[in-house]
Amino acid sequence: MITVSITVNGEKVSREVEDSTFLAYYLREALGLTGTHVGCDTTQCGCCVVIMDGMSVKSCTVLAGQADGATVTTIEGLAKDGQLHPLQRAFHECHALQCGFCTPGMIMAAVDLINTYPGTLTEDVVRHEMEGNLCRCTGYHNIVKAILKAADEIRPSRVRDMAE
């Protein structure tokens, strides 16, 4: 057993877990933050993406012990003061989900994309950068549309709309 202490969604937490516990299960089982989904356990699908120390990671293959001392943001930590994050709002407004299983990972990966991509975000860039996040229900069109809509709100000078 090891003790893992991290800051999750702005709150410092510490739990004792098995050495082999992955971050996704630490978040879900030890902390009760079930918004982080696990779809494949092999980093193939992206359902488990969270932001750790400012970068998106697939939490199903990061050991909880590797996150000790880290700052982690999950889908539960995006909304502030009862207001949805621009990506959450855009996913809703653009109908960018169907079953919703992939949505938390999609949104968290998109947060990282919008915050870190150095160039102009276009439909092609978003499609390429989001390749590690799989959705079995949609054709991705509305997901891309939602990401560009939110990006336009978050960083308006560096987004080119899908219609252009």
Side-chain angles (χ1 to χ4, degrees):
M1 298 289 275
I2 60 169
T3 299
V4 176
S5 300
I6 61 177
T7 300
V8 180
N9 302 329
E11 182 182 335
K12 291 183 185 235
V13 295
S14 186
R15 299 288 190 283
E16 192 172 274
V17 294
E18 294 290 331
D19 297 14
S20 59
T21 301
F22 288 104
L23 180 59
Y25 295 101
Y26 180 85
L27 295 168
R28 292 181 58 79
E29 296 169 8
L31 303 181
L33 297 171
T34 57
T36 300
H37 295 163
V38 178
C40 67
D41 279 325
T42 61
T43 72
Q44 301 287 323
C45 72
C47 290
C48 66
V49 172
V50 298
I51 305 297
M52 185 170 90
D53 291 336
M55 295 176 43
S56 63
V57 298
K58 293 182 178 177
S59 63
C60 73
T61 54
V62 173
L63 289 169
Q66 291 174 290
D68 190 46
T71 298
V72 174
T73 303
T74 69
I75 192 73
E76 292 93 343
L78 288 185
K80 300 290 184 216
D81 301 321
Q83 299 296 311
L84 293 177
H85 183 276
L87 270 161
Q88 292 170 310
R89 194 169 50 253
F91 265 64
H92 172 73
E93 291 170 359
C94 295
H95 309 288
L97 59 106
Q98 285 184 22
C99 82
F101 193 80
C102 71
T103 304
M106 286 278 186
I107 289 174
M108 297 310 293
V111 165
D112 185 46
L113 172 62
I114 291 169
N115 289 338
T116 63
Y117 191 78
T120 300
L121 287 175
T122 65
E123 178 181 357
D124 288 340
V125 167
V126 171
R127 286 185 182 277
H128 175 74
E129 294 295 321
M130 295 296 291
E131 283 180 353
N133 290 77
L134 303 179
C135 175
R136 293 185 173 118
C137 301
T138 72
Y140 296 97
H141 182 76
N142 287 349
I143 291 171
V144 174
K145 185 177 168 183
I147 292 169
L148 290 172
K149 177 182 174 88
D152 190 44
E153 181 179 336
I154 295 167
R155 52 181 260 182
S157 64
R158 293 181 27 214
V159 176
R160 193 170 71 223
D161 189 20
M162 288 175 69
E164 293 179 7

